[in-house]
Structures are given as C-alpha cells and as structure tokens.
Amino acid sequence: GREDLGSGWYSTFRLESGINIDTGLGVASNANNQRSGAGAAESGLSFNRWSYVGLGSNTLGEIRGGRVYTAAFENFTPFDPFLTNGVGSSTPITLRLGQRNTQTALNVSNAIEYLTPGYGQGFFGRVTLALGENPSNGSLATGNPRHAGDHAAFRIGYAGGPLTVAYSAGLTQNTAGRVGTVNNAGDYLNMNLAARYELGWVRLLGQYVTEKLEGASAATGGLTGIATNEAKTRSLLLGAVFPAGPGNIK
C-alpha cells in the first residue's frame, strides 16, 4: 500500500506471505537471520516474504524497515527467464550454497534499507543492512556469536530504453565451527552481475553469479564445522524469452 502525504512525500507498506497450497499452512519466516531463529517448516500465516513500512520522497528516495528481500537477491529475479519461480528457477543452482546453508540468501529480518528516487529507472541503487540481534557477549560456544546474522547488501544499476544492467553483492556474517553436534556456517558472500536487452521479438538475459561460504566443504558444499574450510561456486545463466501469442517461449 502507498499513501500520498503531500509535497512529494509518501508512506508505504507491504505484507506478503508464502502459502503451501496443498495444506494451506504458511511458509516459515526467520526472526534473526540464523538457524536459531527459524520457525516451523509449516506453520500459521507468517509474512515471510515482505513485512515492512517505509517513508519516501520523490526527490530524496525511500527508507524501509522490517523484513525484506535483500538487495543482493533482487538482482536475480529480473534477469531469470522464469523470474526465479517454478521448476525453471535458476536459484537452486546459482544460490545453492546460500539456500542450502544460510537463512539470508533471499530474505532478511530486522532490516533497514534505502532506495534511490525513481528506483529501477536511469541510474539507481539500493542498500540493505540487517542485524542478527545477538548479545554483545555472544559466542560460538553459546550458539549466538555476536555478529551472526548481521547482513549488508547493495545493488546498483542502469535501466534505459531496451537495456538494463545491474550488479549486486551481499555479505552475511557468522562464525564457522561446531556447536554441540551441529556444524555452524561461517561468513557467506554472493555477487551477481546481470543484464537484459529487449529486441521486441525476443528478450535476452544473462547473469554471472559467485558464492563463497566459510566452514563448508569445497567438494560438496555441506557444512563441516571447520573454520578453515571454504566452498565457492560460479554460475553463468544465458536465457531468452520469445513472445508467442498470449504467452511466451523460454
């Protein structure tokens, strides 16, 4: 929703929930961007996708606070022929380390972010900062390292005429190691350079994505509990969308 406040100012909010259509149960959210903050896999309704309020100006930009899709993930959907949805989504490959081992590959809680005026048009940018909200004396031994779940991401780009190009990067802090019988992930970084070009009869899309996760096996990507281990991925996506009557061919 959006409310005009006058003189170019406005307020905004968004609430969006994922629902399992076979059961009617909601998809879990996460309270602190860590394993310890995860809700039940299937639960009552939760606004796990978006839950924010914002204040914006047509000339100064917009500030949001709440749970959001991180600026880093936002660079995936517009450049995926399947819009990161369904069986054709690219993210099970391009974000395989993050989706398997972290809680911040897509969304983050306790976030505040800034978007430039006219976001998505001309030269634009977005910055996301989020906190894991752990105590200042937290540690791996107690299962709540001080900066675990803290997240920072940005997205910059240009959109004009038939061309859109953008770059994003996101870093989530954590401490790799072993907590009892559980292996804890370390710092997680993903970066994405993407472009799209409209020719009318076809839309061309491409992405180059890298991931790096501390405390994970280089061979399998699974968590090892060993801080010196590091897993990396590199993925290239090339796609095309051809309009065909009321639909399209991808």
Side-chain angles (χ1 to χ4, degrees), residues 42-129:
E42 290 191 340
S43 60
L45 183 67
S46 66
F47 297 110
N48 63 299
R49 294 180 176 177
W50 296 96
S51 177
Y52 71 79
V53 294
L55 178 67
S57 162
N58 294 335
T59 56
L60 299 177
E62 181 178 319
I63 294 177
R64 298 172 177 171
R67 180 169 174 81
V68 299
Y69 277 102
T70 174
F73 175 70
E74 192 187 14
N75 214 46
F76 286 78
T77 301
F79 305 101
D80 182 328
F82 293 89
L83 302 175
T84 61
N85 262 313
V87 296
S89 173
S90 63
T91 54
I93 297 175
T94 56
L95 282 175
R96 55 190 179 274
L97 287 180
Q99 289 192 298
R100 177 181 178 182
N101 299 304
T102 78
Q103 287 72 46
T104 58
L106 308 183
N107 316 78
V108 287
S109 295
N110 315 315
I112 185 169
E113 59 178 14
Y114 170 75
L115 295 79
T116 55
Y119 181 73
Q121 299 296 320
F123 290 100
F124 60 86
R126 177 183 171 198
V127 177
T128 305
L129 297 174

Side-chain angles (χ1 to χ4, degrees), residues 33-229:
N33 309 321
Q34 303 157 65
R35 185 188 295 112
S36 62
E42 290 191 340
S43 60
L45 183 67
S46 66
F47 297 110
N48 63 299
R49 294 180 176 177
W50 296 96
S51 177
Y52 71 79
V53 294
L55 178 67
S57 162
N58 294 335
T59 56
L60 299 177
E62 181 178 319
I63 294 177
R64 298 172 177 171
R67 180 169 174 81
V68 299
Y69 277 102
T70 174
F73 175 70
E74 192 187 14
N75 214 46
F76 286 78
T77 301
F79 305 101
D80 182 328
F82 293 89
L83 302 175
T84 61
N85 262 313
V87 296
S89 173
S90 63
T91 54
I93 297 175
T94 56
L95 282 175
R96 55 190 179 274
L97 287 180
Q99 289 192 298
R100 177 181 178 182
N101 299 304
T102 78
Q103 287 72 46
T104 58
L106 308 183
N107 316 78
V108 287
S109 295
N110 315 315
I112 185 169
E113 59 178 14
Y114 170 75
L115 295 79
T116 55
Y119 181 73
Q121 299 296 320
F123 290 100
F124 60 86
R126 177 183 171 198
V127 177
T128 305
L129 297 174
L131 296 176
E133 298 188 332
N134 282 346
S136 59
N137 62 348
S139 67
L140 182 63
T142 56
N144 57 351
R146 178 177 180 180
H147 293 293
D150 291 357
H151 176 85
F154 72 89
R155 182 181 185 235
I156 55 174
Y158 171 80
L163 175 66
T164 302
V165 60
Y167 174 79
S168 71
L171 172 66
T172 302
Q173 292 182 267
N174 213 324
T175 301
R178 195 167 180 84
V179 183
T181 60
V182 178
N183 295 326
N184 204 53
D187 289 354
Y188 170 67
L189 172 69
N190 72 57
M191 296 181 285
N192 176 343
L193 177 63
R196 179 178 68 216
Y197 197 85
E198 303 278 356
L199 291 173
W201 60 275
V202 63
R203 177 186 305 139
L204 302 176
L205 309 102
Q207 298 183 43
Y208 177 68
V209 182
T210 65
E211 293 181 287
K212 182 172 70 173
L213 178 64
E214 296 177 356
S217 166
T220 67
L223 298 180
T224 63
I226 302 174
T228 55
N229 287 171

